[in-house]
Amino acid sequence: MNFIKVNTYDELSCKAAALICSQVVMKPDCVLGLATGSSPLGAYAKMAQKCKDGEVDFSRVKSINLDEYVGLDGQHDQSYRYFMNNNLFKHINIDINNTHVPNGCATDVDAECKAYDALIESVGGIDLQLLGIGLDGHIGFNEPDSYFEKTTHKVELDPSTIDANARFFASRDDVPTTAITMGMGGIMSAKKVLLIANGKGKKDIVEKAFFGPITPAVPASILQLHPDLTVIYSEN
Ligand code: F6R
C-alpha cells in the first residue's frame, strides 16, 4: 500500500487528479471506476481543467460508477447519475454513452445487479477504481457486515450513512434507504485502487481501515489485500 499524507484538500485533489489523468494518458481507452460524494469533487474539477487545457483526452474512456440510490432516476438532483453528469461528465470530453451508473429505477433490481457485473466483465474490468470512504468504513455502499459481499447487490443503508447523506436532501426522511452497489469483487478486481479521504472526522476510520485488522466490520479494510492500492489522506 502506498499511503500518502498531505496537508490540504487541494493537494489531495491535485494528486488524485494527476494519478487518474496519468492512467488515461497511459491507456486512452481505459476503464475508470468512479465515486460520488464530497471527497472526489476537487479531483473532478481538476480533471475538468486538465481536459480543458488539452492535457488529457477522455474521448475513448469508459467509466463505471460504484453505486446509485434505489428509486431515484437520473433527473433527480440527488441521484448519482445527476451528480456525475454535473460534476464531471459535462466538463470533460467523455462520450456519455460510455459512462455507466447503476439504474436505480430498474424494475428488476436483481437483474440490474447481474447486468452490472456482466458489464464490468465485458469491458475487461476496471483499470483504476477511485473510492471515498464512509465514516463507518463503507466503500461504495458496502456497509459493515459479517461477510464481504462479492457481487453487485442491493443494500439497506446503515443509519449512520443515511445521517451523513441527509445533508443533501430536504429532510432525513427523503434519503433513500436502499441502494445498488458494486460488490467487493468488482472493486478488488480493479487493477489499481485509489482511495481518497479528508478531514479530521475521517482520521479514525482511515487508521482502522488501513492499519487495523482486515474485517467485514470495516469494509474498506479488505483493500489492504489489494496489490496496487494508493490511499491519499488529508487531515484538513
Ligand atoms: C459514493 C460512495 C461512497 C462515498 C462515501 C464517502 O459513490 O461510493 O462510498 O465515497 O460515502 O462520502 P464523502 O466523500 O461524501 O465523505
Side-chain angles (χ1 to χ4, degrees):
M1 170 177 47
N2 186 11
F3 190 92
I4 304 170
K5 200 164 173 238
V6 294
N7 291 320
T8 64
Y9 177 66
D10 192 59
E11 228 180 304
L12 175 155
S13 302
C14 276
K15 283 201 187 323
L19 286 171
I20 298 165
C21 290
S22 305
Q23 170 68 62
V24 177
V25 169
M26 284 188 303
K27 188 178 174 194
D29 60 347
C30 67
V31 180
L32 297 178
L34 297 175
T36 59
S38 48
S39 307
L41 283 172
Y44 289 164
K46 290 187 192 295
M47 286 160 65
Q49 190 58 49
K50 282 177 193 289
C51 183
K52 205 169 147 206
D53 294 346
E55 285 178 38
V56 60
D57 173 11
F58 290 91
S59 62
R60 293 169 61 203
V61 168
K62 295 189 185 75
S63 72
I64 301 200
N65 261 77
L66 283 166
D67 42 19
E68 180 60 282
Y69 288 117
V70 168
L72 301 194
D73 68 28
Q75 311 299 319
H76 191 291
D77 66 0
Q78 291 307 324
S79 72
Y80 287 172
R81 163 52 78 182
Y82 186 96
F83 176 103
M84 290 308 300
N85 286 354
N86 286 283
N87 289 300
L88 184 64
F89 300 150
K90 255 190 199 170
H91 310 288
I92 60 175
N93 65 334
I94 198 165
D95 177 348
I96 200 77
N97 297 310
N98 287 337
T99 68
H100 304 280
V101 179
N103 177 6
C105 286
T107 40
D108 184 342
V109 171
D110 287 343
E112 172 66 14
C113 292
K114 284 203 178 75
Y116 213 66
D117 283 332
L119 168 75
I120 297 171
E121 221 182 299
S122 74
V123 296
I126 291 164
D127 290 297
L128 187 154
Q129 176 67 56
L130 175 67
L131 297 171
I133 182 171
L135 289 171
D136 60 0
H138 71 239
I139 48 176
F141 272 135
N142 292 279
E143 297 282 14
D145 208 332
S146 51
Y147 62 97
F148 293 110
E149 191 138 358
K150 192 173 167 192
T151 57
T152 298
H153 57 283
K154 181 175 167 182
V155 67
E156 303 285 331
L157 300 185
D158 195 88
S160 72
T161 303
I162 295 175
D163 287 343
N165 291 355
R167 66 190 193 276
F168 301 117
F169 289 82
S171 80
R172 191 183 186 280
D173 288 345
D174 292 323
V175 187
T177 55
T178 55
I180 295 174
T181 184
M182 196 188 287
M184 292 304 194
I187 294 172
M188 288 298 281
S189 66
K191 293 176 190 82
K192 296 188 190 115
V193 175
L194 168 61
L195 184 140
I196 54 177
N198 66 289
K200 288 191 173 57
K202 294 260 173 95
K203 195 173 182 214
D204 284 354
I205 194 62
V206 165
E207 268 170 22
K208 271 193 198 149
F210 301 109
F211 302 101
I214 296 166
T215 162
V218 182
S221 63
I222 197 174
L223 298 172
Q224 291 181 43
L225 299 174
H226 194 280
D228 192 342
L229 168 67
T230 300
V231 178
I232 311 178
Y233 174 64
S234 160
E235 206 169 290
N236 300 298

